Structure formats: structure tokens, C-alpha cells
Amino acid sequence: KNEVEQSPQNLTAQEGEFITINCSYSVGISALHWLQQHPGGGIVSLFMLSSGKKKHGRLIATINIQEKHSSLHITASHPRDSAVYICAVPTGGSEKLVFGKGTKLTVNP
Amino acid sequence: DSGVTQTPKHLITATGQRVTLRCSPRSGDLSVYWYQQSLDQGLQFLIQYYNGEERAKGNILERFSAQQFPDLHSELNLSSLELGDSALYFCASSGKRRSYNEQFFGPGTRLTVL
């Protein structure tokens, strides 16, 4: 069974700060997903990565397969980044995703 | 807009009732996934269909069933509803068969069981 742990659970930042959210998982995987859930409930896929680093705008995701750890960074954070960020990994050699409990980010102006 | 549509957006019903949630995947996507998000359990995988066939099963109750139709839309049927079934139900779709693919999520259906 693959457990997914995220930290921190809650994060409050001031606009412009650099944000880091961490995700650790317990078994080997081929890829990891980062998702963003807006206050209204909608879920957006941010990244799917299997090695190294990916960047999209102010968002950067990194993964270390050997250490079973991934980080999501937000540079120059903005109030519109306020959301819940969720990491998820496939389990059992299938596409079934197991989700972390999420990190609630609040960015204050 | 992910290209995945779900109807209805909100559903309020009573215990013991049966409801059907509908999902249309992105154009060209063959896989559909169903997830449940409740306050106490977080996001949980329910079931996956690929091109009309069940591909993987998660924590789906026996009272729940799903299917994917030839036009690739999918329906999740929830019966004998209980208060604890109140949750957000998401579907997602992806394109390829045997690799770990990005999944595109629909807006969700918020089910309230009274």
C-alpha cells in the first residue's frame, strides 16, 4: 500500500514570498501528480512528473525518485495562488491514484 | 476548462434514494476515472474505465456502480443512499492506455444526502 504524506498541512504566506510544499511517498512509482483545488472545489492538474524538474510559469515541481520525495515551489506568490495543493501517486502498478491530504495555502496581500 | 463535463453540478436527495452522475470525457480520451472527495476521507479513487471496460477498482461500495458507454461517456450510479455518501464526486479522463498519464478533472458533482 502506498502512503502519501504532505507537509505542511496549512501554510500562510505574504504576497511575493517563495512557497514550498513537500510530498513523500512510501513505495516506488513511475510518476507523481500535483493537483490544485480551488476554493470553489474544481481540481486542476498542475504537473505530472517522473524525474527531475518541471516548470510552468511561477510553479516548479521537482522529484527525487530515490528519496521518494517531491516538492512544489511557487515563486513570487500571489493571493490567487490560494488553494489546496494535492500530490497523488499511482499504486499497484495501475493508474489508480492515492492522494495526499493536501496543503491549504493562503496568500495574503 | 479541462474539457471534461459533469452533470449535474449539485444534487440534493434523501436517504435511500438512487442517483446517477454523468461524465463526458475530453474529446479523444478513452479512460474515465471516478473519485469521491468527502470531508473526512479526502480524495479517494473509486473506479476506472477504459474504452468501455472496467480497468481498475478502488474503494467503491457495492451500492455504487458505474459504466462507460460506446460514446465514451460514463455514469456513476449510487443507490440506497446514506448520509455518509454526501461528498464531491469527480470524474477525470486521460488519453493513453498503459502509461501514467495526466488526468484532466471535471468540475465535480456535489451530492448532498439529507
Side-chain angles (χ1 to χ4, degrees), chain A residues 71-92:
Chain A
S71 293
L72 177 67
H73 305 285
I74 305 175
T75 61
S77 59
H78 190 276
R80 65 174 174 267
D81 297 325
S82 297
V84 176
Y85 294 83
I86 303 167
C87 75
V89 299
T91 185

Side-chain angles (χ1 to χ4, degrees), chain A:
Chain A
K1 184 180 174 184
N2 202 359
E3 300 290 342
V4 180
E5 298 287 336
Q6 281 187 242
S7 63
Q9 206 168 11
N10 293 283
L11 185 53
T12 300
Q14 288 300 122
E15 184 173 355
E17 286 185 7
F18 181 84
I19 304 292
T20 295
I21 299 170
N22 296 299
C23 177
S24 296
Y25 49 93
S26 57
V27 300
I29 62 169
S30 294
L32 180 144
H33 300 251
W34 279 104
L35 310 171
Q36 179 192 54
Q37 186 167 27
H38 296 285
I43 294 177
V44 174
S45 174
L46 298 175
F47 296 103
M48 187 188 74
L49 67 166
S50 55
S51 65
K53 179 165 79 174
K54 283 192 175 180
K55 184 175 189 290
H56 181 69
R58 294 179 296 104
L59 300 178
I60 303 166
T62 63
I63 189 167
N64 185 318
I65 293 290
Q66 287 73 31
E67 294 187 3
K68 298 186 176 61
H69 181 270
S70 176
S71 293
L72 177 67
H73 305 285
I74 305 175
T75 61
S77 59
H78 190 276
R80 65 174 174 267
D81 297 325
S82 297
V84 176
Y85 294 83
I86 303 167
C87 75
V89 299
T91 185
S94 74
E95 293 180 71
K96 295 164 55 173
L97 292 181
V98 174
F99 298 86
K101 293 190 187 306
T103 295
K104 184 176 180 181
L105 172 65
T106 303
V107 182
N108 294 316

Side-chain angles (χ1 to χ4, degrees), chain A residues 37 41 45 48 94-95, chain B residues 33 37 57 90 97 100 102:
Chain A
Q37 186 167 27
S45 174
M48 187 188 74
S94 74
E95 293 180 71
Chain B
Y33 311 79
Q37 186 179 38
K57 212 166 187 176
F90 290 98
R97 180 174 180 176
Y100 297 107
E102 185 175 12

Side-chain angles (χ1 to χ4, degrees), chain B residues 44-78:
Chain B
Q44 291 194 90
F45 169 80
L46 294 178
I47 197 164
Q48 178 200 358
Y49 279 83
Y50 175 83
N51 201 21
E53 293 184 4
E54 183 183 301
R55 179 66 57 193
K57 212 166 187 176
N59 300 323
I60 187 165
L61 299 172
E62 284 192 15
R63 299 183 287 107
F64 296 1
S65 64
Q67 53 184 324
Q68 186 179 27
F69 294 87
D71 67 352
L72 300 177
H73 92 271
S74 179
E75 293 181 356
L76 179 67
N77 300 297
L78 315 176

Side-chain angles (χ1 to χ4, degrees), chain B residues 14-106:
Chain B
T15 54
Q17 295 297 305
R18 173 189 169 94
V19 297
T20 297
L21 312 184
R22 182 187 168 106
C23 170
S24 292
R26 291 188 319 157
S27 177
D29 281 357
L30 299 179
S31 275
V32 170
Y33 311 79
W34 285 100
Y35 298 97
Q36 179 193 57
Q37 186 179 38
S38 59
L39 281 175
D40 55 342
Q41 296 288 330
L43 266 166
Q44 291 194 90
F45 169 80
L46 294 178
I47 197 164
Q48 178 200 358
Y49 279 83
Y50 175 83
N51 201 21
E53 293 184 4
E54 183 183 301
R55 179 66 57 193
K57 212 166 187 176
N59 300 323
I60 187 165
L61 299 172
E62 284 192 15
R63 299 183 287 107
F64 296 1
S65 64
Q67 53 184 324
Q68 186 179 27
F69 294 87
D71 67 352
L72 300 177
H73 92 271
S74 179
E75 293 181 356
L76 179 67
N77 300 297
L78 315 176
S79 61
S80 303
L81 284 168
E82 301 175 0
L83 296 177
D85 297 327
S86 296
L88 265 170
Y89 292 85
F90 290 98
C91 81
S93 74
S94 71
K96 297 176 188 174
R97 180 174 180 176
R98 288 208 176 272
S99 58
Y100 297 107
N101 300 296
E102 185 175 12
Q103 296 181 23
F104 296 87
F105 285 76

